[in-house]
Structures are given as structure tokens and as C-alpha cells.
Amino acid sequence: MRDTRESRLLLVLLIAIAFALITVDIRGGEQSPLDGVRHAAASAFGPVEKGVAAAVDPVGDAVAAVRDSGDRSSRIAELERENTALKQRLGSDDRNRGRTRELDALLKTAGRGQYGIKGAQVIAIGAAQGFSWTVTIDIGSDDGVRRDMTVINGDGLVGRVTTVAPGTSTVLLASDPKFTVGTRMEKTGELGFAGGQGDSALRVELLNGKAAVHKGDRLVTFGSSKDKPFVPGVPVGEVVRVEPSAGGLTRTLQVRPFVGFSKLDIVGVVVEAPRDDPRDTVLPPKPEAPKPAPTVTVTVTVTPSPSAKPQD
């Protein structure tokens, strides 16, 4: 098409229509009129993404071993046996050793929280139907995945399932600006809401504007009604900055997420919530502060030389 006045007007019109559709989709949420289109797109392109990922990934079968662990993960010994089998399948090269560590951390996190999970791999980044911070994973409704299920990895909260096709699912990451999750502070139990800010830290609004918060304090998910979209006790992040209090009803925190969203690979979809709220038990132990080195005191005693003569 030649660069004419009509072509430029057509381009502007198409862009305006695209942004209008995005706005309608965001405001509509689960009742969005575009939800059917999004689901159809996922059904059409999901198998292609999954096929390409399987072709270039020789260790994909290893993750499938934890897809049948949807039963409540209360049997630690069973998880350890699964983990040993996975390590043997993954081999010894550098990339697979890293994936083995990810699987090991995922299974341990699921065990501590008593989460029933389905293991999955990230096979695509982003989504054709919007500008959200999303990933596509290689399991879907055929594997028992449903919309609004919590997604975790060995470090903590990854996001929530938004679109489900038979063999793939789309996950909205916690870093997305439209993402919101209820949080609870470790130990104090102060409640708040965390929201994504793209590649920046999470922004948390505490409901108590006078809450005592310090750098290094940690947060977990509070949990949702009927555990959807969020189960309780999933590690969220660590406070890196406390905004100055202006006497308002809320208090704002900047929180570094535990999960590295730019390097996601192995994740787990929580298909069964814990019977009891795990509270802070899923959080890893805090590293002990280094002990100061003892001060060595050296005492020097001067001994007179035998050849020295006393002065008159």
C-alpha cells in the first residue's frame, strides 16, 4: 500500500479500533465479550506452540511426571521419590541441572504449602490477543486446569490462569499492571493489596496506614474465597522500600517479588488448595545475620635486656 492520506487514515482507524477492543476486554473481565475469541485463539494456536516446544525440548517428558501429582501434596516421601526420578531423567548438562533445581524447589514449595499441583513448562511469552504480561504453559483443560487457578514456582507466586484451551493455558503474571492479589505480612498479619508495575517492584497498599513495616519484611498471599484465584500462604515478595506516611488510611510499600518473571521455565498450577492456611510456613528460612568477628587483643610486654646497665 502506498503512503497516501487515505492509507494513513486507515492505519489510525485500525489502531483506534484495536485500543477500543482492548479497553472493552479489560473492563469486561470474565464476562468480556471477547472471551470467546480469546479462547478460540488459544485453542487454535496452543497446539502449534506446544508442538514447537516439544520438538526443541528433549526433556519435556520429565515435567509430565508431576502432572499427576494433583492429589494433595502431603506425602513428603512421595515427592522426594518423584524428585529423584525427575533428576535421573533430566540428565547432567548445565541447562538441565538448572531445571532439576527448579523442579526440586517447586516440589518442596508444594509440599510445605500442601498444594496439589500440576507441573508445566512455559512454552511462549506474551499473547496475541493483548499487551499483557503473560506466558503460555503446556497444560490445559485436558489436564484439569481451569480458569482462575493459582500458578507458582519454587520461589513463590507466578500469577493466575486466565485462558484455558484443551492443551495449553495462558497465565497472567503478577508483574502485569492489571494484576491484583490480597497479601498478608509475615508475623504481624497486616493485610494489603499487591499490584504489578511491569518490570518494576510490586506496589502494595496496606490497609493499616499506621502499620509498622521495615525493609526486609516479607509477604504471602492472603487467599481468596473458595481459593480462586489465589490459595493462601504463597510467598509474594520482600519489602525494599516503605513510602513516607502522609497520615492517610493506607500505607504504600515497594516489594521485590521472589519470582524472576523474565526467566520462567518450570511452574506448577495449583489444582487443589490446602486444607488449612499454611500461613508463613511456605516462606524460606531467613538467612542468619553474619556474626561479628571476635576482636583479638595483643598485649606486648617489654623485658629489659640482660646486658643493660642501670643508670646512676
Side-chain angles (χ1 to χ4, degrees):
M1 181 183 291
R2 290 183 299 174
D3 184 14
T4 64
R5 182 172 180 272
E6 290 77 11
S7 64
R8 289 195 296 271
L9 287 174
L10 178 60
L11 178 61
V12 171
L13 179 61
L14 290 174
I15 293 174
I17 292 173
F19 277 101
L21 290 174
I22 292 169
T23 303
V24 170
D25 188 31
I26 292 172
R27 293 182 177 178
E30 191 168 343
Q31 305 301 322
S32 169
L34 301 179
D35 188 63
V37 177
R38 186 167 53 238
H39 179 78
S43 299
F45 295 107
V48 178
E49 293 173 331
K50 190 172 182 178
V52 171
V56 300
D57 187 359
V59 297
D61 289 341
V63 183
V66 293
R67 291 186 188 163
D68 296 326
S69 64
D71 295 336
R72 204 177 305 275
S73 305
S74 57
R75 300 179 299 277
I76 302 300
E78 182 178 342
L79 291 175
E80 291 176 347
R81 286 195 298 272
E82 288 179 350
N83 196 26
T84 300
L86 289 169
K87 288 179 180 179
Q88 292 173 350
R89 291 191 187 188
L90 286 175
S92 58
D93 63 77
D94 290 342
R95 180 170 182 263
N96 290 337
R97 277 198 296 268
R99 304 184 84 192
T100 300
R101 288 191 293 270
E102 289 187 46
L103 281 166
D104 182 62
L106 173 61
L107 291 171
K108 286 180 178 178
T109 296
R112 288 196 301 267
Q114 301 292 285
Y115 305 127
I117 64 168
K118 294 283 186 178
Q121 295 181 78
V122 173
I123 58 173
I125 301 173
Q129 63 268 28
F131 299 100
S132 302
W133 290 64
T134 61
V135 295
T136 302
I137 57 177
D138 64 346
I139 59 175
S141 57
D142 290 347
D143 306 285
V145 178
R146 300 291 180 265
R147 182 169 178 160
D148 283 338
M149 284 184 168
T150 309
V151 182
I152 65 173
N153 70 0
D155 297 320
L157 180 67
V158 172
R160 63 180 177 86
V161 176
T162 56
T163 306
V164 183
T168 60
S169 302
T170 300
V171 179
L172 183 69
L173 302 179
S175 56
D176 189 275
K178 299 187 297 292
F179 188 94
T180 303
V181 58
T183 61
R184 182 174 51 76
M185 297 292 300
E186 180 185 14
K187 296 181 180 178
T188 66
E190 294 286 352
L191 303 181
F193 291 94
Q197 299 186 109
D199 55 3
S200 302
L202 302 177
R203 178 186 176 92
V204 176
E205 295 286 343
L206 290 185
L207 300 183
N208 181 3
K210 298 181 180 179
V213 187
H214 304 91
K215 184 178 178 180
D217 289 348
R218 303 184 295 180
L219 302 88
V220 298
T221 56
F222 176 69
S224 306
S225 174
K226 298 182 180 180
D227 300 307
K228 286 189 176 182
F230 302 110
V231 295
V234 180
V236 174
E238 179 179 294
V239 176
V240 292
R241 182 183 176 190
V242 181
E243 301 288 353
S245 177
L249 297 178
T250 62
R251 188 154 201 193
T252 303
L253 315 174
Q254 297 297 322
V255 173
R256 176 184 60 80
F258 290 128
V259 170
F261 299 108
S262 63
K263 51 184 179 181
L264 289 171
D265 187 6
I266 308 298
V267 299
V269 179
V270 180
V271 296
E272 191 167 0
R275 290 189 179 91
D276 301 307
D277 187 342
R279 305 289 294 182
D280 302 333
T281 59
V282 188
L283 285 167
K286 276 193 171 183
E288 295 185 2
K291 296 180 179 179
T295 302
V296 179
T297 303
V298 179
T299 304
V300 179
T301 304
V302 179
T303 303
S305 171
S307 60
K309 297 182 180 179
Q311 295 181 353
D312 294 336

